[in-house]
Amino acid sequence: MGRDGVQDRTTAVGSPGYGTAGQPAPPRGPLGRLVAEMCAELRPQLSAVSATRLDYVVRRLAGPLQLAVAGRIKSGKSTVVNALIHRRVAPTDIRECTRLVTRFRYGAVDRVEVVRQDGTRRVLSYDADGLVPVDLGVAVDQIAYVDAFLTSASLESVTVIDTPGLGSTDATSVRRAEAVLGRSGRAGPDGVGLDAGSRTAIAQAEAVLYVLTQAVRADDAEALAVFGGCLSPQAASPVNAVGLLNKADQLDGADPIATARELATAQARLLRHRVRDVLPLAGLVAEATETGHFTEADADVLRQIAGLPPAQRDLLFFSADLFVRPELPIPVSGRARLLARLDLFGVRQAVDLLGADPTLGTGELRRKLAERSGVPAVRDLIEHAFRRRADGIKASVALAALAVVAAQAPAPGDRTRIRDAVEGLLQRPAAHQLRLLEAAALVSSGTVPMPAELAAELAGLVSGETPAERLGASGSPVAVLRELALERASTWRSFATFGSTPAQSRVAHVVHRSYCLLWQQLATGGGAVTDE
Ligand SMILES: Nc1nc2c(ncn2[C@@H]2O[C@H](COP(=O)(O)OP(=O)(O)O)[C@@H](O)[C@H]2O)c(=O)[nH]1
Ligand SMILES: [Mg+2]
């Protein structure tokens, strides 16, 4: 026990993040519920060890989507995390917790829980700046991870996991986390600079946001391979992963964001077997504008700068040093704060915006800056790629976890029962989407090569939210959609039968059935596929 607001308590020892005791809530989506129901039927037939593991899978299925933010050290992961959760809580300086895995989770009360290796927790408050505190009150080598609870609506459906990342290896942290890794039953590839704590966090993730920067362009593919190797194959596939080209503001040229956009497109092509897309982001500006870190006082300093004579103003932007040189009438502290919050690029953007419209209010200025940072597109991608697809993603990862439970079952009977139950589930029309997701993961990761146009069609079939989107024919009347579904079904059927490898043929059969089910669904008024 220590200062006020600090207490120790013991909770059930569980795997990181899933230590909540009691009955799990039912999963939120239809696919998750199907898997949970199957598990409930299966449970009484299993040995005690497998039943306990099954409980873990079911508990996890009911929770928010686990999204890991991965990347090299100093790539801006914590900065991106803050922007995404609308709160500046993850420290971006050199403090102890930047070397730890921190899970930002929804909670009724804002608090930080330091989870020790033995599963006990120490509860702390955020510091005066609202950040996870420097002093966690527990020796670092005893910490398994940090749970940061926030009453933030955006965390209700997604838990964001900040990781120390590549390049942060230190021997003790690796050794200390090996125990946790051992329990999670999944080790990553040897060495290659990813610390064990991050490896564990990533292994438990259901989706990943890779933060890339131009500086590591040459070995991005290798860096992603390291992360990919730690994930379950489902979570590692492009179906569940997106990339950000962060620090877009630091690229050379008159319009760094445009350069970043081009570079991101090239990276997306290069990394297509790893990520669904790569988007450019000026993370620092995004953090400042999304978290309220950019204030009215900052806007006032910007207005003063915008009002300077052009010659004097332009001189400011030559370098960070010149920007804070003392001889100007505008307070140095205000300029230094701007520099820390927006960097030179962001300040320049803001001054340009104010130059074009001196009447711009602070709220509007913030919104326009956020737009230029690239964060709205990133949010949109996360919404579509992850949040709206959370049910399918979680259910797929649960099936992958069940395969591991089956493979590691102490009783041979468990193995057969689990596999039969999963197979039975996948036969049902209502669960076919899970089979399709698996097929899409095989194709998009390059495991099963496919002609480019078929691969693209499959990606659309998986990512579309409505039947029309899935058929790539938004706005078409139902009759046209039905026709299209039949046509596609027949194309994939012939592909499955003629000229494909056995692996391609298996994928094609799954896709064929998806189109048939889609056709049925369109015939019955566009409702969800059921087993009836
Ligand atoms: N100029 C600029 N700096 C950034 C950006 N994103 C992060 N940073 C800075 O890069 C440093 C490392 O960021 P941090 O989020 O701690 O990286 P992490 O180690 O990957 O978590 C910090 O000083 C950030 O302020 C960005 O988009 N542009
Ligand atoms: Mg960090």
Side-chain angles (χ1 to χ4, degrees), residues 146-305:
V146 177
D147 256 348
F149 291 88
L150 290 165
T151 47
S152 167
S154 61
L155 290 174
E156 280 182 284
S157 51
V158 180
T159 291
V160 180
I161 307 165
D162 191 9
T163 64
L166 280 173
S168 60
T169 315
D170 68 75
T172 37
S173 82
V174 172
R175 267 201 306 280
R176 137 173 66 100
E178 283 302 346
V180 184
L181 258 183
R183 242 184 290 146
S184 84
R186 194 180 173 86
D190 297 327
V192 217
L194 188 62
D195 75 286
S198 299
R199 243 186 282 160
T200 312
I202 293 164
Q204 297 197 335
E206 294 161 323
V208 197
L209 189 66
Y210 292 107
V211 181
L212 313 164
T213 58
Q214 191 221 8
V216 296
R217 189 174 50 182
D219 51 356
D220 273 344
E222 178 210 328
L224 263 60
V226 173
F227 287 110
C230 300
L231 284 157
S232 72
Q234 273 67 17
S237 90
V239 176
N240 297 349
V242 302
L244 296 181
L245 173 60
N246 192 38
K247 305 202 179 184
D249 56 305
Q250 293 191 331
L251 295 177
D252 294 331
D255 187 351
I257 300 289
T259 311
R261 203 169 294 122
E262 273 175 37
L263 198 56
T265 307
Q267 280 181 330
R269 228 180 353 255
L270 196 71
L271 304 173
R272 66 186 181 285
H273 291 318
R274 300 255 172 220
V275 293
R276 170 177 160 140
D277 204 355
V278 180
L279 292 183
L281 183 73
L284 196 63
V285 177
E287 182 192 40
T289 54
E290 298 292 283
T291 64
H293 198 220
F294 173 76
T295 62
E296 191 69 48
D298 294 322
D300 284 341
V301 180
L302 286 168
R303 287 190 187 97
Q304 292 177 48
I305 297 173

